[in-house]
Every structure is written in structure tokens, then in C-alpha cells.
Amino acid sequence: MNDLHQLTIHEAHKLLKEKKISSVELTKAALKHLRKVDGIVRACVTITEEQAIKDAQSADKAIAKGDIKPLTGIPSLIKDVICTKGIRTTCSSKMLENFIPPYDANVIEKLKADNYVILGKTNMDEFAMGSSTENSAFFTTHNPWNLDCVPGGSSGGSAASVAIDEAIYALGSDTGGSIRQPAGFCGVVGLKPTYGRVSRFGLVAFASSLDQIGPVTKDVTDCAIVMNSISGHDKRDSTTVPLEVPDYTQALKPDIKNIRIGIPREYLPEGMQPEVRQAIEAAVKKLEELGARVDWNVSLPNTKYGLAAYYILAPSEASANLARYDGVKYGYSYRDTTNMWDAMQKTKQFGFGAEVKRRIMLGTYALSAGYYDAYYLKAQKVRTLIKRDFEQAFQSYDVLVTPTSPTVAFKIGEKADDPVQMYLSDVCTLPINIAGIPAISIPAGFVNGLPVGLQLIGKHFAEETLLQVAFAYEQATPWHTMKPSVA
Ligand code: GLN
């Protein structure tokens, strides 16, 4: 048997159900391992040891009464952008360094109803702005496969922690790729659900029309299990859709005969790492062997505007969302002055890091009266075109397959001073948020010892199809069983 901290959700659940282990044992094993390795990868901003043991004890009580759900008693880590009542929620920002939310996010309420266990909160790019976790105001997280490399971002802490078995699973958030890109870089599974599938209530807002919470897991089965728990309508998030939540685990059938797969050529750009391309080609070949019908001749012509549109839309929304951090209501407050304007200005000056300020300035500019039509309105129109490209493609294909990123994980510091290079690492993931559709990243090989992510994209609310194809691929390949040596 694996060491307890190495288990997947479904393996741990089985042992808990058969009473072969207790949640307290499992949680203690996870905490012990976390204490040992987190100094190396630095995935956690906060470790909630006491709370974890309390949660595990109440899970054990529930299990003793026969009340066990798939996530009952299973230790998790939560990205530090998701509000947890009574537990510090920082967004890896000085602005919220001491913020303790008085309420839980909807997803946390749901996990609590399942008697989950929280081990702590994970590091991220400040306010989820970034692709490497280097924008954290506290420290950089390391990629467990190569400690000199970034884990990706912004959910870098969540992805690294799952890859190194600190937690059995984690939650992340994805505005332009922040679940899938780090999942790809760290060799784990990450799903960005359809916009409106999971409530954003209690998710600290970055770009509200793009943000979505989703699972980071060790395999596809676990991804389906977490989706079952966190999905659904919430009257406090009017963008959630009142559709019934299917049992996603029912989609896990390794049969993909006649599934129609398209490979959009714009997602295999000239500049991509050739070895990543080869890995993707091999993965597609595997899907073909498994019975899928593959078409390499697909085009989503407006993809080329995706990056530009995203970097108008996301900063515009961010500039509005972040206006609330004025030093008056909550968060960091500059007090060394008697002048109110000075206090407000310095609060932002010292409370926010460089990337967050850059986004606020870009967004404020794009939304200003003289430029609104030229930038924001134009970007909204492009958004419609990008969405239409996908709608059209999904008339002929069930799933679109692309790399999650054009490269494997890059070196820490390599792109930190060049925002545009950093932005480019999300070219394959951003258009999915722009269109509001779901996509999953699954492990699909290695290049120079670093994981390659394969992205599967589906139409609105087609998470089941994605899980089905992902599961079939996973069952036929060894990638998800491989572990970094530090683990
Ligand atoms: N890297 C992208 C950005 O910086 C996406 C971030 C995200 O998905 N939260 O905006």
C-alpha cells in the first residue's frame, strides 16, 4: 500500500469506508509529510494544523455514524483567494495579509457539508494575477519536478502541493488559465468548469466575468469527485446556472469510440517548444488508438486576438474590483498621515505589488471615457467572435485538444521582468475563459524531466465529455502515476 499521504481521494475514501484507517490517521500522515516537504516547495501560505485535526475528528465521528461522502475526512488545501471563515485569506497580497473572513465561500460551505478536512491555504500570484506564483507578495513556490523552475500560476501553490502529495487534493481558481497551466507544469489534473457551474460567492474577485473555481487533483476520478461536491446553483452568485448537477463519476468510462476530436492549428503556434508539440502529437495518436476520430484540420481564426482581448477585459474588471481596497473598509491601511487622500494613495502604493498596480492602471485607462469604445467595447466584440469560433467548432467536434501551454515550466526569474513573455504562457488557456467553456489539463508526458499538460476543451456544460476522454487517456498512459523525487 502507498503511504497514506500518497493516496488519491477514491483510494482514501475506500479505506475510510472500510474503517481500515481513520481520518485522524490520514490527516496526521498528510500533515507530517507537509511539514517535511513544504520548506522545499513552499506551497502553503498558512498551515491550519489544529483545524485539520478538529475537522478529522468530526469526520471520524460522522463516519462512525455511517455518514460518509466521497470527500469526508479527506485532507485538502485551498487556494488563498477563497474565503475561509476564521482562517486568514491573503490572496498572497500585503493588502490582505491579516484579513480573516467572517464567512465561508460557497464551495467551502459545500465541502464542510461533506465533512472535509482543511490543511491550509496555498500560495498564489497576488490576487491571481500571474502565471508563475512569482507575483506572490510573500515568496515564490517551486516546481516539485525541478526546484529551479516555477510551478506555474496563479494557482501554483495548489498544483505544487498536490504534485508533491502534501494534500490529497486542492482547489484553485482560473481566470485565464490559473488552474490548468500550473496543473500542466506540475503534472497533475486541473479543471476549469463552465462559467456558472461553480459559485464564485466568497472567491475574492479578480475579473468577475472570467473567474471560476475548480479542482486540482492527482487523477481524473478525483477531479469528478470534487466537481460533484462543489458544483451547483447558488442564489448569492447570480451567474450560477440552475441546472441539475450530474454525477460526474458516471462519465468515467474508458470508452471513447467515435468521439470526434479536433486539433485547432492556432494552438500549435510556430514558437512553441518542439518537444511539447511531439508530446501532444503522441497523445492525440493515443486517443486515436482508443477509438476517437481525429481531425487535424481545424481552425479557430479569432484565437489570435485572444491574448489582446483578455488583457483589456481582465484588467478592466480588475480595476473595478480592486477599487474596494481603499484602506477604509478592510485590509491594509496606511495610517502615518492625517491627510485622507494621502492615506488612500499610500495604502494602494504599499499594499499592492507591481503586477497588480500594472493591471489597475491598464484597466482604468481602458475604461476611461475617451478610450472605452476603442478598447473595452472592442474587446467585448472580439469576445463574441472568439465565442462563435468555438460554437462553430463544436458543431463538428465533441472535444478540442491543445497543449495546455506552449512550453514546459520555465526557470524562476526567467520571465519575471518581462510581463509580455509571461502573458504569452497562457495563450492556449485564455480563450477558454473568454468563451466561458470548460477545459481540463491532464498529464501527457515529460520534456527534460518536466511534465507536459494536455488540454481538452468542451462546449458549455460538457464537463462529462471532458472527464470521459481524460479518463480514457489516463487509463491508457502511465503519466499520472509518476511522482517527483522530492515527494
Ligand atoms: N495568467 C493570467 C493572468 O495573469 C491568468 C491568471 C488567472 O487565471 N487567474 O491574468
Side-chain angles (χ1 to χ4, degrees):
M1 195 174 83
N2 284 340
D3 285 335
L4 294 184
H5 61 269
Q6 294 177 314
L7 298 172
T8 59
I9 297 173
H10 53 98
E11 288 165 350
H13 173 68
K14 191 160 173 280
L15 295 176
L16 286 167
K17 199 168 170 179
E18 291 167 354
K19 308 224 162 58
K20 295 209 168 109
I21 58 169
S22 70
S23 173
V24 169
E25 271 175 84
L26 177 62
T27 301
K28 283 190 174 160
L31 282 168
K32 189 171 159 211
H33 178 67
L34 192 156
R35 288 277 180 215
K36 201 158 83 191
V37 297
D38 199 58
I40 306 170
V41 289
R42 310 214 67 193
C44 295
V45 172
T46 304
I47 300 171
T48 53
E49 193 144 359
E50 254 173 57
Q51 185 62 45
I53 299 294
K54 266 193 219 154
D55 288 350
Q57 286 165 340
S58 48
D60 281 335
K61 271 194 204 129
I63 295 170
K65 284 191 233 143
D67 175 15
I68 178 164
K69 298 186 194 90
L71 293 179
T72 303
I74 313 270
S76 65
L77 282 165
I78 306 294
K79 185 177 181 182
D80 216 15
V81 67
I82 297 171
C83 286
T84 40
K85 185 175 175 178
I87 299 173
R88 194 168 74 114
T89 298
T90 68
C91 290
S92 288
S93 178
K94 285 213 175 78
M95 193 58 96
L96 293 178
E97 194 166 2
N98 300 308
F99 174 59
I100 297 182
Y103 60 90
D104 278 320
N106 175 266
V107 291
I108 300 297
E109 290 173 350
K110 286 182 185 271
L111 293 176
K112 280 189 173 169
D114 288 352
N115 279 303
Y116 90 135
V117 174
I118 183 169
L119 300 177
K121 307 291 294 280
T122 56
N123 196 26
M124 51 186 278
D125 287 297
E126 185 176 6
F127 283 102
M129 298 174 190
S131 314
S132 68
T133 318
E134 290 166 292
N135 293 339
S136 165
F138 307 139
F139 48 82
T140 296
T141 300
H142 298 260
N143 190 311
W145 293 92
N146 179 341
L147 298 171
D148 294 332
C149 292
V150 303
S154 62
S155 313
S158 291
S161 69
V162 172
I164 201 172
D165 289 325
E166 285 186 0
I168 310 273
Y169 71 99
L171 290 188
S173 70
D174 192 313
T175 304
S178 276
I179 291 174
R180 291 159 287 155
Q181 187 255 24
F185 278 11
C186 292
V188 294
V189 174
L191 173 75
K192 193 221 54 109
T194 306
Y195 187 77
R197 178 80 286 186
V198 177
S199 171
R200 289 178 295 106
F201 177 80
L203 170 69
V204 177
F206 163 13
S208 309
S209 78
L210 303 160
D211 298 341
Q212 200 60 189
I213 295 172
V216 178
T217 58
K218 296 179 189 179
D219 68 13
V220 175
T221 304
D222 282 4
C223 180
I225 291 170
V226 178
M227 278 301 288
N228 278 353
S229 178
I230 64 173
S231 302
H233 180 245
D234 174 15
K235 60 180 188 312
R236 293 162 306 181
D237 173 0
S238 60
T239 62
T240 52
V241 178
L243 275 178
E244 208 185 309
V245 179
D247 175 358
Y248 288 109
T249 62
Q250 293 296 314
L252 305 174
K253 301 188 189 94
D255 177 16
I256 54 165
K257 218 163 261 135
N258 294 327
I259 288 267
R260 299 162 305 165
I261 288 180
I263 327 293
R265 69 175 82 93
E266 292 81 3
Y267 288 75
L268 299 167
E270 283 300 317
M272 79 183 290
Q273 208 174 338
E275 298 90 340
V276 170
R277 192 194 178 101
Q278 284 157 17
I280 300 306
E281 283 169 359
V284 172
K285 203 156 153 233
K286 186 50 115 192
L287 291 169
E288 209 164 10
E289 279 166 32
L290 293 170
R293 282 189 279 150
V294 171
D295 185 353
W296 283 90
N297 197 20
V298 182
S299 175
L300 301 172
N302 292 297
T303 300
K304 56 179 178 291
Y305 306 121
L307 192 78
Y310 176 88
Y311 278 98
I312 296 292
L313 297 171
S316 295
E317 294 184 25
S319 74
N321 277 326
L322 272 60
R324 71 190 67 174
Y325 305 105
D326 53 10
V328 177
K329 295 184 282 293
Y330 44 75
Y332 170 77
S333 181
Y334 182 83
R335 293 277 169 82
D336 243 3
T337 175
T338 50
N339 178 314
M340 183 187 76
W341 297 113
D342 196 32
M344 279 185 153
Q345 193 215 326
K346 295 233 168 68
T347 291
K348 288 171 196 249
Q349 185 180 338
F350 300 127
F352 289 135
E355 183 61 27
V356 175
K357 287 184 210 163
R358 186 177 297 125
R359 305 273 176 122
I360 293 173
M361 285 191 278
L362 277 171
T364 307
Y365 182 80
L367 290 177
S368 60
Y371 294 105
Y372 184 91
D373 289 0
Y375 294 114
Y376 188 74
L377 200 65
K378 190 74 148 275
Q380 287 288 32
K381 289 179 180 166
V382 173
R383 184 172 196 165
T384 303
L385 296 178
I386 290 173
K387 210 164 143 232
R388 280 197 200 138
D389 273 3
F390 280 112
E391 279 161 9
Q392 205 164 11
F394 286 123
Q395 287 179 5
S396 312
Y397 309 99
D398 302 301
V399 171
L400 299 172
V401 173
T402 76
T404 305
S405 311
T407 67
V408 291
F410 44 88
K411 287 260 158 69
I412 291 173
E414 190 181 321
K415 302 188 181 189
D417 299 325
D418 188 344
V420 176
Q421 276 307 313
M422 189 71 90
Y423 296 171
L424 277 168
S425 73
D426 295 310
V427 272
C428 300
T429 50
L430 303 166
I432 302 355
N433 300 68
I434 292 178
I437 51 183
I440 190 169
S441 177
I442 53 173
F446 290 85
V447 170
N448 305 328
L450 287 163
V452 176
L454 182 74
Q455 178 174 240
L456 311 177
I457 310 165
K459 60 182 171 200
H460 289 99
F461 298 100
E463 279 85 351
E464 289 161 286
T465 315
L466 297 183
L467 290 165
Q468 181 192 348
V469 177
F471 183 71
Y473 179 78
E474 180 186 84
Q475 294 305 301
T477 52
W479 316 123
H480 67 291
T481 62
M482 298 184 176
K483 296 279 176 194
S485 55
V486 255

